[in-house]
Amino acid sequence: EATLDLAERRRIRSAIRELQRQELEQDEETLASKRFRPERSSHRHSNKENWPQSQRLEEEQQAALAALSEQLEAITSVEELTKLLRAAGEYEERKLIRAAIRKLRAEEIEGEAPFPCSR
């Protein structure tokens, strides 16, 4: 219906805006609930099935890092360690090699420093 009353038109427009606002809020709530939905139970089961395998891989990696650490202690050349560093692929390996290089350089600096004279 067409109305000539301006006040009534304002009330109608205001009611329409309010309905649109409520609809937008409902849409936002729906989106938020979809974004933060908890994991599906089937996904959790697959993680449980893969857990022993990932645990085994982590243990193997720890053993390999321990072996590398022992190997690095035997190396006394910064150049050799630098070559190993460039060839290393894993972050943890590079981290151990850099620590060994720092240790060797610190020992070299200590060896070059003059000893304090005892009086």
Side-chain angles (χ1 to χ4, degrees), residues 10 15 32 34 38 50 54 60 76 86 88 99 102 116:
R10 274 191 229 117
K34 287 182 182 177
N50 293 330
S54 66
E60 289 175 0
T76 58
R86 290 186 180 132
R102 283 192 299 271

Side-chain angles (χ1 to χ4, degrees), residues 16-54:
I16 291 172
R17 279 193 297 271
E18 181 63 24
L19 288 172
Q20 288 173 338
R21 185 187 60 77
Q22 289 174 358
E23 191 176 326
L24 279 174
E25 286 177 357
Q26 289 173 351
D27 289 346
E28 288 174 354
E29 288 174 9
T30 304
L31 275 176
S33 69
K34 287 182 182 177
R35 275 188 209 134
F36 302 109
R37 191 175 286 166
E39 288 184 7
R40 297 192 186 277
S41 60
S42 63
H43 186 261
R44 266 186 262 134
H45 289 303
S46 69
N47 285 346
K48 286 182 182 178
E49 291 171 0
N50 293 330
W51 185 78
Q53 181 182 4
S54 66

Side-chain angles (χ1 to χ4, degrees), residues 6-108:
L6 292 178
E8 188 177 349
R9 284 185 182 180
R10 274 191 229 117
R11 282 194 301 272
I12 292 170
R13 282 193 217 119
S14 149
I16 291 172
R17 279 193 297 271
E18 181 63 24
L19 288 172
Q20 288 173 338
R21 185 187 60 77
Q22 289 174 358
E23 191 176 326
L24 279 174
E25 286 177 357
Q26 289 173 351
D27 289 346
E28 288 174 354
E29 288 174 9
T30 304
L31 275 176
S33 69
K34 287 182 182 177
R35 275 188 209 134
F36 302 109
R37 191 175 286 166
E39 288 184 7
R40 297 192 186 277
S41 60
S42 63
H43 186 261
R44 266 186 262 134
H45 289 303
S46 69
N47 285 346
K48 286 182 182 178
E49 291 171 0
N50 293 330
W51 185 78
Q53 181 182 4
S54 66
Q55 185 71 18
R56 181 177 48 81
L57 289 174
E58 186 175 324
E59 289 172 356
E60 289 175 0
Q61 184 182 22
Q62 291 298 326
L65 289 175
L68 177 64
S69 181
E70 291 176 13
Q71 179 187 359
L72 293 176
E73 288 179 16
I75 298 174
T76 58
S77 167
V78 174
E79 290 79 23
E80 259 185 84
L81 289 173
T82 305
K83 287 177 188 176
L84 281 176
L85 180 64
R86 290 186 180 132
E90 295 293 320
Y91 169 77
E92 292 296 326
E93 291 175 357
R94 292 192 309 267
K95 184 177 168 183
L96 283 174
I97 296 169
R98 283 192 301 267
I101 290 172
R102 283 192 299 271
K103 181 180 174 186
L104 271 180
R105 287 185 177 156
E107 289 173 358
E108 287 175 0

